[in-house]
């Protein structure tokens, strides 16, 4: 080879090296950067940690222990034991034997469930703690607990025996038509894989008989540092927290010969797998199309473009499916497309639709036709523009609230990053990337996503529904005919309608604010408007760009005659489905593209109103919608008929559900079969009339003088005032606001108090409130039962009823009694007896039209244990009436209430709920602030006295669901 020749050949080699260097540099520059505020690392033993400081909520921290071990790692004799191990970690470690761990955590006010919890899935097990970071001892205890869970479980034989029953009851509680059908889905959807045969709940025979050593074997094999992560997010010093994690977790070695952790793929299949699944207790029918594919990686910035295109695709497809479901003679009740990563190695793209049970094949063909339409023709420019506006609006709102994110949301992002080996970029980076990449996404980028949905490779088609001939007679060949027919059918391009124009053609003449006051000590401003309406405003800085809203007025369905009651039940739906002003619901949604807001009307038994939210930039649009909701509900017979069809289909097989029939029995018994407590049946639905429903709606919303409008959040009086004058003070009213009193009591709220303040001396007489329809708790003792359902499952409801004085103090005592008793029943009925998975205890208190209560204890159990457990519950209730309960129940309940109250004070939703409650019930608004003073009064003596006063066996209902008699 001559030197010249060598030089010619050398150039391409050098060019390749240079190009590779440029490519590597470009990749490095395009690599998605992880959030720099997260401190992360891997200890020498392989344990990973993620730590981030966040002060929402203040003084609190979220802790997680994540283990990359779930049910797929179980040996044949361990099926169900990954989940069993999770349970056992709450039942004994070296430092905290037996139930001591939960007792200690509850003593800090942590609730078992929302703040102390865990879950097991196919590939992972995650433990959760929500602890105080202000209380150093509690924070350190939280880290100690994670370490105990990770390395020091004991599997005491006695505790194992107790917990078997709890897990069996968890399995029993979950049994239903849906779970039975799902049991048939997994072997098809995950054919040939470990996922098809390793459901996390497991095999109950193994759960009932596995020795502690088998549990310990799973724990020893898989609970080890190289398969674990500790995640901490909260109001703390992150550097100090990293040091604490290293000190606690760094010294634990991996096993000398660790068992290799296998990956279990889901095998590919070229053909479409088809399954028709039915159950006699199913209440609805659906069709589902899944396509399995490899999860797309998002390691580099350009790959984000593909994710954005996919998001836009599903937004546009789902908008089309939603529009079709509201058309004349819709082909399905509702439909949607979706994409999800189901396992670390498998994603699912899918189409699903709820269908009339006799239209399964037609519904399947309809959703496949829409997917095929997008594959052939794509979307329109107008659809893409709206989808981009919607995505941008929602993401911008997310970005604006980045400094107000709750620690629980951040910890979930980091948890996914570890378990799915994913990146976790900062919200700032994401927002900048969205703004950069989104404009460059065109119709071709989005259309390509349809190819994933319509491939035959790795496709699964499911039809699910009740065991009726219309479902059971469907053959696989008929389904294949639909699949083939869709691919060759003549399909026209989608025609997208426009929705231009202002929401309100002519801005109304503004009204006035005729008086202003402030409810002392609450920061709540009160404005009385010239039309008699009242506005309450509380400006907060809890979450940037969040404004919550609710309007309420007395009356509700109680003012509707029995002959129109069914129509009244659907009056709000008639408006929600029909649209507003000149806009149908479909056109209204198009008009509001890109806006962050929501509003819905409601009509309840004793009051009606509106509920919604908006970002600050969209607040005026929300106000316009409030105006339209009360002045221009739209009649849309097509939308009404489609809604009625959906409702009818939901009622068709309602009686097939044993739990539904049981709930009906309970409430019919408690309210002596009052006509207004009876469920609406398919026959009753024929009484619903669109024009009657609209008349009822107009009657309830026409008079703004009856309404109180409440705004909470990131909005000042100066920002809200001009909008209130234009859009609320201008609303029609029967009241001449100039005749109203110029001042009103600032310390009280509520319909009764509003009535007294607004009309006393003004010459209007008494305004409407509500009508007492005579719904009363049944008196005496009632013992009822129902035999329904194929599962060996019983549900028990034990209810004590009576009257109470309506005071805030007594409300607190009854609710505290329920919370304390739930804690006690969890310890006794669940943990000691293994009789149930969970016991719910509720105090339902009414303040209008009369003051009565229902104290409810409910749980599921084995049918043969009903008598034992109902007797045990009554025995325990009696023990609290006749003697003092343990001190811990009062102390732990009060501690939990204090924790909850402190967190709630910085939540807009909590303040809105408290103010609405005060307005509706007439409760003194200051009571909510005075609540902490009651916590210190909660003693065993108070609990015992409340049990004596309210749990009187002379007014008692016991209702039991038993399986069908064979």
């Amino acid at each position: 080879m001559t030197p010249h020749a060598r030089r010619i050949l050398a150039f391409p080699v050098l060019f390749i090296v240079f190009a590779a260097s440029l490519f590597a540099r470009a990749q490095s520059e395009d690599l998605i950067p992880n959030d720099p505020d997260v401190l992360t690392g891997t200890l020498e033993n392989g344990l990973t940690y993620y730590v981030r400081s966040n002060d929402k909520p203040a003084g609190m921290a979220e802790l997680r222990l994540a283990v990359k071990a779930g049910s797929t790692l179980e040996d044949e004799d361990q099926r169900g034991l990954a989940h069993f191990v999770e349970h056992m970690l709450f039942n004994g470690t070296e430092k905290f034997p037996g139930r001591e761990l939960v007792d200690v955590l509850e003593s800090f006010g942590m609730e078992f469930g929302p703040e102390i919890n865990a879950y097991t899935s196919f590939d992972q097990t995650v433990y959760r703690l929500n602890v105080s970071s202000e209380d150093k001892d509690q924070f350190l205890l939280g880290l100690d607990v994670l370490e105990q869970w990770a390395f020091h479980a004991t599997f005491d034989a006695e505790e194992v025996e107790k917990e078997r029953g709890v897990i069996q009851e968890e399995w029993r509680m979950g049994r239903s038509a849906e779970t039975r059908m799902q049991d048939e889905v997994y072997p098809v959807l995950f054919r040939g894989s470990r996922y098809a045969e390793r459901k996390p709940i497991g095999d109950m025979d193994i759960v009932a008989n596995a020795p502690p050593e088998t549990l310990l074997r799973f724990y020893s094999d898989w609970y080890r540092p190289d398969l674990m992560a500790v995640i901490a997010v909260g109001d703390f010093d992150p550097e100090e927290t990293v040091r604490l994690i290293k000190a606690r977790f760094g010294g634990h070695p991996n096993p000398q010969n660790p068992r290799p952790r296998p990956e279990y793929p889901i095998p590919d299949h070229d053909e479409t797998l088809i399954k028709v699944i039915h159950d006699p207790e199913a209440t609805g029918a659906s069709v589902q199309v899944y396509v399995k594919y490899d999860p797309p990686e998002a390691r580099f910035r350009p790959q984000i473009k593909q994710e954005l295109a996919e998001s836009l695709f599903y937004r546009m497809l789902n908008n089309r499916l939603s529009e079709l479901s509201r058309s004349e003679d819709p082909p399905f009740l509702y439909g949607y497309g979706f994409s999800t990563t189901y396992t670390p190695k498998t994603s699912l793209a899918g189409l699903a639709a709820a269908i009339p049970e006799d239209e399964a094949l037609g519904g399947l063909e309809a959703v496949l036709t829409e997917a095929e339409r997008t594959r052939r023709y794509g979307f329109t420019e107008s659809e893409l523009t709206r989808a981009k506006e919607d995505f941008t609006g929602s993401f911008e709102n997310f970005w604006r609230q980045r400094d107000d994110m709750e620690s629980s949301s951040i910890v979930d992002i980091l948890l996914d990053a570890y378990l799915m080996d994913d990146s976790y970029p900062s919200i700032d980076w994401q927002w900048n990337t969205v703004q950069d990449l989104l404009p460059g996404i065109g119709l071709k980028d989005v259309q390509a996503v349809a190819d994933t949905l319509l491939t035959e490779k790795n496709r699964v088609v499911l039809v699910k529904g009740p065991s009726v001939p219309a479902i059971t007679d469907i053959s696989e060949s008929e389904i294949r005919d639909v699949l083939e027919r869709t691919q060759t059918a003549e399909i026209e391009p989608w025609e997208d309608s426009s929705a231009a124009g202002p929401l309100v053609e002519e801005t109304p003449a503004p009204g006035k604010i005729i008086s202003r006051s402030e409810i002392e000590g609450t920061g709540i401003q009160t404005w009385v408007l010239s039309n008699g309406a009242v506005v309450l405003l509380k400006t907060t800085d809890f979450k940037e760009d969040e404004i919550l809203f609710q309007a309420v007025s007395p009356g509700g369905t109680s003012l509707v005659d029995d002959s129109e009651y069914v129509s009244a039940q659907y009056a709000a739906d008639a408006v929600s489905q029909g649209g507003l002003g000149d806009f149908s619901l479909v056109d209204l949604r198009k008009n509001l593209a890109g806006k962050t807001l929501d509003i819905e009307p409601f009509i309840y038994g004793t009051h009606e109103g509106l509920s919604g939210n908006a970002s600050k930039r969209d607040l005026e649009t929300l106000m316009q919608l409030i105006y339209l909701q009360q002045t221009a509900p739209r009649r849309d017979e097509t939308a009404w008929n489609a809604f009625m069809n959906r409702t009818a289909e939901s009622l068709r097989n309602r009686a097939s559900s044993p739990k539904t029939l049981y709930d009906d029995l309970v409430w019919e018994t408690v309210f002596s079969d009052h006509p207004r407590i009876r469920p609406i049946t398919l026959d009753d639905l024929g009484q619903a009339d669109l024009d009657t429903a609209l008349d009822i709606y107009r009657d309830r919303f026409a008079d703004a003088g009856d309404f109180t409008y409440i705004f909470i959040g990131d909005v000042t009086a100066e920002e809200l005032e001009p909008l209130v004058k234009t859009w609320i003070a201008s609303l029609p009213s029967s009241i001449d606001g100039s005749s109203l009193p110029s001042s009103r009591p600032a310390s009280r709220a509520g319909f009764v108090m509003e009535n007294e303040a607004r009309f006393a001396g003004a010459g209007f007489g008494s305004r409407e409130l509500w009508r007492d329809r005579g719904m009363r708790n049944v008196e005496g003792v009632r013992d009822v039962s129902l035999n329904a359902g194929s599962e060996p499952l019983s549900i028990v409801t034990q209810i004590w009823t009576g009257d109470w004085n309506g005071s805030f103090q007594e409300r607190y005592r009854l609710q505290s009694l329920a919370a304390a008793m739930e804690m006690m029943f969890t310890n006794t009925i669940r943990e000691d007896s293994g009789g149930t998975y969970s016991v719910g205890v509720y105090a339902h208190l009414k303040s209008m039209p009369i003051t009565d209560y229902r104290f409810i204890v409910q749980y599921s159990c084995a049918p043969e244990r009903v008598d034992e457990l109902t007797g045990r519950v009554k025995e325990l209730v009696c023990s609290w009436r006749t003697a003092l309960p343990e001190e811990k129940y009062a102390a732990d309940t009060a501690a939990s209430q204090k924790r909850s109250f402190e967190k709630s004070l910085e939540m807009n939703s909590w303040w809105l709920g408290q103010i609405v409650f005060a307005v509706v019930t007439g409760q003194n608004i200051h009571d909510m602030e005075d609540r902490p003073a009651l916590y210190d009064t909660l003693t065993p003596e108070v609990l015992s006295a409340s049990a004596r006063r309210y749990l009187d066996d002379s007014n008692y209902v016991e209702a039991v669901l038993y399986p069908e008699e064979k």
Side-chain angles (χ1 to χ4, degrees):
M1 184 178 291
T2 65
H4 179 70
R6 280 199 298 270
R7 281 197 300 272
I8 293 175
L9 291 173
F11 176 76
V13 172
L14 288 173
F15 177 78
I16 292 170
V17 171
F18 178 66
S21 174
L22 283 177
F23 181 68
R25 191 183 311 157
Q27 278 201 319
S28 176
E29 291 172 356
D30 281 340
L31 188 68
I32 297 174
N34 288 327
D35 187 345
D37 291 333
V38 177
L39 302 183
T40 186
T42 302
L43 305 183
E44 288 185 8
N45 59 8
L47 184 138
T48 305
Y49 64 83
Y50 302 83
V51 176
R52 189 184 190 279
S53 178
N54 186 64
D55 62 359
K56 299 289 183 180
M60 300 299 295
E62 293 280 350
L63 304 179
R64 300 289 187 275
L65 173 67
V67 187
K68 287 185 177 179
S71 58
T72 57
L73 297 182
E74 295 166 344
D75 295 330
E76 193 62 30
D77 63 342
Q78 293 176 324
R79 293 169 65 178
L81 299 196
H83 177 233
F84 202 151
V85 166
E86 173 223 307
H87 274 245
M88 288 308 302
L89 266 61
F90 292 91
N91 286 274
T93 65
E94 291 176 8
K95 188 174 181 179
F96 303 104
R99 281 272 300 171
E100 188 177 321
L101 186 151
V102 174
D103 289 341
V104 170
L105 294 174
E106 286 182 339
S107 71
F108 287 107
M110 298 166 65
E111 293 184 67
F112 192 42
E115 295 171 315
I116 315 166
N117 214 332
Y119 72 84
T120 303
S121 68
F122 288 108
D123 297 295
Q124 61 201 236
T125 306
V126 177
Y127 298 86
R128 174 191 180 192
L129 289 178
N130 175 229
V131 300
S132 169
S133 55
E134 279 184 335
D135 185 332
K136 190 70 172 179
D137 290 339
Q138 187 178 150
F139 183 67
L140 294 176
L141 173 67
L143 292 175
D144 287 343
V145 169
L146 295 191
E147 183 195 10
Q148 288 289 304
W149 281 337
F151 306 115
H152 300 294
T154 54
F155 300 102
D156 177 78
E158 184 177 344
E159 293 295 332
V160 168
E161 288 305 314
K162 287 182 181 179
E163 203 63 23
R164 294 186 202 278
V166 175
I167 296 171
Q168 288 170 315
E169 291 310 317
E170 182 179 0
W171 169 85
R172 190 190 311 277
M173 183 180 71
R175 299 304 297 168
S176 66
E178 189 57 41
T179 54
R180 289 192 296 271
M181 289 193 292
Q182 196 64 28
D183 288 346
E184 296 189 55
V185 168
Y186 287 133
V188 182
L189 189 59
F190 302 131
R191 189 182 72 171
S193 79
R194 192 86 159 183
Y195 294 92
E197 57 187 34
R198 286 292 190 277
K199 289 185 303 175
I201 195 65
D203 184 321
M204 287 304 105
D205 287 338
I206 291 175
V207 168
N209 298 291
E213 294 77 18
T214 313
L215 286 160
L216 181 59
R217 188 176 82 236
F218 184 91
Y219 182 77
S220 300
D221 283 343
W222 306 118
Y223 278 62
R224 62 193 203 217
D226 64 323
L227 296 179
M228 289 181 177
V230 173
I231 307 170
V233 179
D235 191 8
F236 49 59
D237 179 345
E239 299 281 358
E240 171 66 10
T241 301
V242 169
R243 187 189 67 77
L244 293 170
I245 290 172
K246 288 179 176 179
R248 278 166 173 75
F249 295 87
H252 295 281
N254 284 293
Q256 287 188 349
N257 297 301
R259 187 173 175 180
R261 190 205 187 284
E263 298 285 350
Y264 293 105
I266 298 174
D268 290 338
H269 49 90
D270 292 328
E271 76 280 20
T272 296
L273 305 180
I274 294 173
K275 179 76 171 178
V276 177
I277 303 169
H278 56 87
D279 191 281
E281 295 174 15
T283 58
S286 66
V287 292
Q288 298 163 5
V289 181
Y290 296 96
V291 175
K292 294 169 279 190
Y293 64 101
D294 295 335
E297 286 194 10
R299 292 290 180 186
F300 300 98
R301 189 171 177 275
Q303 293 170 327
I304 298 296
K305 185 175 181 180
Q306 181 181 347
E307 290 191 356
L308 292 174
E310 184 175 294
S311 179
L312 295 173
F313 172 86
Y314 284 111
R315 280 176 182 266
M316 291 186 284
L317 175 63
N318 288 338
N319 285 339
R320 285 187 178 184
L321 295 175
S322 176
E323 189 169 336
L324 279 173
S325 72
R326 288 169 170 80
S327 62
E328 194 79 47
D329 193 22
F332 42 76
L333 306 176
Y334 61 85
Y336 57 93
F338 61 92
S339 177
T340 182
T341 299
Y342 201 87
T343 80
K345 300 297 182 183
T346 304
S347 288
L348 296 176
L351 291 167
I355 52 171
E357 64 184 39
D358 53 356
E359 292 291 340
L361 296 176
L364 175 63
E365 186 165 357
V367 292
L368 287 172
T369 296
E370 290 315 308
E372 176 66 21
R373 194 191 311 273
T374 63
R375 191 186 68 79
R376 292 186 196 178
Y377 306 111
F379 295 97
T380 66
E381 285 289 354
S382 56
E383 287 178 295
L384 181 61
T385 298
R386 286 196 302 271
K388 287 183 176 182
E389 289 173 348
D390 279 337
F391 188 91
T392 302
S394 60
F395 209 102
E396 182 178 1
N397 187 249
F398 174 61
W399 172 75
R400 288 182 183 278
Q401 296 176 353
R402 65 197 180 283
D403 294 331
D404 298 315
M405 280 187 70
E406 296 271 330
S407 293
S408 58
S409 298
I410 298 172
V411 82
D412 286 343
I413 293 170
L414 299 177
L415 185 63
D416 285 344
Y418 173 69
L419 294 172
M420 306 304 290
D421 193 25
D422 207 352
S423 55
Y424 48 96
S426 70
I427 299 174
D428 281 333
W429 185 91
Q430 293 179 60
W431 175 229
N432 290 333
T433 302
V434 166
Q435 292 179 92
D436 186 35
L437 296 180
L438 196 65
I441 296 176
L443 290 173
K444 289 184 178 179
D445 300 309
V446 177
Q447 186 176 353
V449 180
D451 293 335
T452 302
L453 276 177
L454 293 176
T455 179
E456 295 182 24
K457 184 179 177 63
N458 293 328
R459 183 167 63 180
V460 176
V461 177
L462 304 172
V463 176
K464 297 165 60 179
S467 298
V468 296
I471 298 293
T472 60
D473 289 352
I474 295 174
S475 67
E476 182 175 323
S477 62
E478 287 178 304
I479 293 174
R480 293 196 184 278
D481 287 344
V482 170
L483 298 175
E484 293 173 7
R485 187 164 62 246
T486 304
Q487 292 177 338
T488 59
E490 292 186 11
I491 301 173
E492 296 296 322
W494 180 268
E495 292 187 12
D496 185 45
S497 60
S498 62
L503 290 176
V504 182
E505 285 288 347
E506 186 175 339
T507 302
K512 299 178 181 179
I513 299 174
I514 64 172
S515 72
R516 306 168 191 264
S517 59
E518 184 167 320
I519 302 177
E520 184 180 353
T522 65
I524 301 171
Q525 299 181 54
T526 303
W527 301 342
V528 180
L529 309 184
S530 52
N531 60 356
V534 176
V535 171
L536 302 178
L537 166 65
K538 182 174 175 64
T539 301
T540 73
D541 60 0
F542 305 147
K543 180 174 282 191
E544 184 175 346
D545 213 27
E546 179 182 78
I547 303 168
L548 305 184
F549 155 77
Q550 195 157 335
V552 287
S553 167
T557 59
S558 73
L559 299 182
V560 177
D561 291 339
D562 289 345
S563 61
E564 297 181 338
Y565 184 65
V566 174
S567 295
Q569 294 286 82
Y570 298 109
D573 296 302
V575 176
S576 294
Q577 300 296 318
L580 297 171
D582 296 328
F583 295 91
S584 69
L585 179 60
V586 170
D587 288 340
L588 187 62
R589 289 176 174 175
K590 292 177 181 179
N591 187 282
L592 297 175
K595 297 188 182 297
T596 304
L597 57 81
D598 186 39
I599 186 169
E600 284 292 333
F602 60 83
I603 304 178
Y604 299 151
T606 57
H607 59 286
E608 63 275 339
L610 303 168
S611 181
N613 62 80
S615 63
K616 184 176 290 191
R617 65 185 180 280
D618 297 321
L619 180 57
E620 181 164 14
T621 304
L622 175 67
M623 294 299 232
Q624 292 173 340
L625 293 174
I626 292 171
Y627 182 83
L628 291 173
Q629 288 279 2
Q630 297 198 237
T631 62
R634 181 177 177 276
R635 187 184 191 280
D636 189 328
E637 191 163 1
T638 297
W640 169 262
N641 290 338
F643 171 72
M644 282 288 106
N645 287 338
R646 293 195 298 273
T647 305
E649 197 62 31
S650 71
L651 297 175
R652 183 188 303 275
N653 294 295
R654 185 179 182 278
S656 298
S657 167
K659 292 180 181 178
T660 298
L661 294 177
Y662 173 70
D663 286 341
D664 293 347
L665 173 67
V666 170
W667 298 117
E668 288 168 7
T669 302
V670 169
F671 291 107
S672 301
D673 200 23
H674 191 282
R676 296 203 175 198
I677 201 63
R678 294 174 194 156
I680 291 177
T681 65
L682 198 57
D683 290 338
D684 296 330
L685 196 62
Q687 301 173 30
D689 175 73
L690 174 58
D691 290 318
T692 303
L694 288 173
D695 286 344
I696 291 168
Y697 182 92
R698 294 187 186 101
D699 177 70
R700 293 292 80 231
F701 286 86
D703 190 347
D706 272 343
F707 277 81
T708 300
Y709 301 82
I710 305 153
F711 295 87
I712 307 287
D714 185 16
V715 59
T716 65
E718 292 74 23
E719 292 167 329
L720 187 65
E721 181 175 325
L723 300 176
V724 164
K725 289 178 179 177
T726 300
W727 300 109
I728 296 181
S730 62
L731 286 166
S733 169
S734 62
I735 298 172
D736 178 4
S738 63
S739 303
L740 292 172
S742 61
S743 64
R744 309 174 62 209
S747 62
R748 293 173 68 82
F751 289 147
V752 177
M753 273 52 69
E754 295 288 344
N755 224 35
E756 293 170 354
R758 206 182 304 188
F759 306 110
F764 289 100
S766 176
R767 296 289 291 166
E768 69 176 9
L769 291 178
W770 54 80
R771 182 176 171 187
D772 184 355
R773 288 290 176 175
M775 291 178 62
R776 299 290 188 270
N777 292 326
V778 67
E779 295 183 354
V781 176
R782 296 290 187 276
D783 190 346
V784 296
S785 63
L786 172 71
N787 290 86
S790 58
E791 294 289 347
L793 168 73
S794 280
I795 302 175
V796 178
T797 307
Q798 296 172 261
I799 306 176
W800 289 261
T801 65
D803 298 323
W804 65 298
N805 65 14
S807 72
F808 183 77
Q809 182 183 56
E810 285 307 300
R811 179 181 293 275
Y812 169 74
R813 288 178 173 175
L814 253 169
Q815 291 174 337
S816 297
L817 179 64
M821 279 197 159
E822 184 169 295
M823 201 178 294
M824 179 267 292
F825 286 136
T826 297
N827 288 338
T828 53
I829 303 298
R830 171 183 155 129
E831 295 299 335
D832 293 343
S833 301
T836 187
Y837 177 65
S838 66
V839 183
V841 185
Y842 318 95
H844 290 179
L845 297 93
K846 284 172 56 181
S847 299
M848 54 188 184
I850 61 169
T851 51
D852 63 8
Y853 70 87
R854 290 174 295 283
F855 192 93
I856 303 169
V857 179
Q858 189 174 71
Y859 49 93
S860 60
C861 65
E864 62 271 17
R865 299 193 68 180
V866 166
D867 291 343
E868 169 201 346
L869 297 180
T870 55
R872 181 65 174 142
V873 167
K874 294 188 76 172
E875 177 186 314
L876 290 166
V877 167
C878 181
S879 73
W880 279 38
R881 289 197 303 254
T882 56
L884 298 183
E886 291 181 48
E887 167 68 31
K888 75 177 296 297
Y889 293 120
D892 291 356
T893 298
S896 174
Q897 292 167 340
K898 289 176 183 177
R899 278 171 61 95
S900 177
F901 183 76
E902 289 166 359
K903 287 190 292 185
S904 297
L905 285 173
E906 295 187 1
M907 297 171 60
N908 289 325
S909 58
W910 182 84
W911 278 98
L912 179 64
Q914 297 299 309
I915 295 170
V916 169
F917 176 78
V919 170
V920 170
T921 65
Q923 189 72 54
N924 189 323
I925 199 72
H926 286 293
D927 285 339
M928 64 180 176
E929 294 186 309
D930 297 338
R931 187 171 299 167
L934 292 174
Y935 300 154
D936 293 333
T937 70
L938 190 62
T939 63
E941 288 80 6
V942 168
L943 291 176
S944 183
S946 297
R948 285 194 300 275
R949 184 177 301 119
Y950 297 115
L951 305 186
D952 181 354
D953 287 343
S954 62
N955 285 312
Y956 172 76
V957 172
E958 185 172 297
V960 182
L961 172 68
Y962 292 103
E964 281 182 10
E965 295 177 344
K966 300 295 177 64

